[in-house]
Amino acid sequence: MIAKELHKELLTLSPSEKNEIIQLLDGINKTPKVVGGAARIRNTRISVWSLFQSHQLGASDLEILEAHPELTQTDLLNAWFYAETFPDEIEQAVQVNNKTNEN
């Protein structure tokens, strides 16, 4: 199955089915009460949405890796794949965080 076909199929999954897929992704964890239950990089407190937001704001992969030396390029690739697969979840987390920081 090519990536575009897989992406279409992932969009049709229920939230519980998506959580099962998340567990299959190497290096992405979702744990209640850890970074608010947001998707995060393998047993760290670094959320996928925060990496995605940094990238949106212009940070390169190299700059992100320099800011987070505990991460690897594979971690970023997993984060980018996750963000592409679950764009609504990531965008909502970014918006919630931005509103929290404004107050």
Side-chain angles (χ1 to χ4, degrees):
M1 184 177 294
I2 62 172
K4 287 183 182 181
E5 291 172 343
L6 180 58
H7 186 260
K8 287 179 187 177
E9 291 296 320
L10 288 171
L11 294 175
T12 66
L13 298 177
S14 70
S16 64
E17 290 170 323
K18 287 179 181 179
N19 282 332
E20 288 180 43
I21 297 299
I22 290 165
Q23 299 309 315
L24 296 175
L25 290 174
D26 185 35
I28 303 292
N29 302 119
K30 280 182 99 173
T31 307
K33 299 183 182 179
V34 178
V35 294
R40 62 192 170 90
I41 301 299
R42 55 172 173 76
N43 301 317
T44 69
R45 298 186 66 79
I46 302 170
S47 63
V48 172
W49 71 260
S50 67
L51 294 172
F52 178 78
Q53 184 178 36
S54 293
H55 204 249
Q56 273 191 317
L57 293 172
S60 69
D61 285 9
L62 180 59
E63 290 169 326
I64 293 170
L65 291 172
E66 287 174 348
H68 300 283
E70 66 274 31
L71 299 183
T72 66
Q73 184 63 47
T74 300
D75 292 327
L76 292 185
L77 293 175
N78 288 335
W80 306 154
F81 178 77
Y82 185 93
E84 285 180 31
T85 305
F86 304 106
D88 294 340
E89 175 187 332
I90 298 301
E91 185 58 37
Q92 181 180 7
V94 168
Q95 289 177 4
V96 166
N97 183 66
N98 286 340
K99 286 180 184 177
T100 301
N101 287 338
E102 289 174 359
N103 295 331

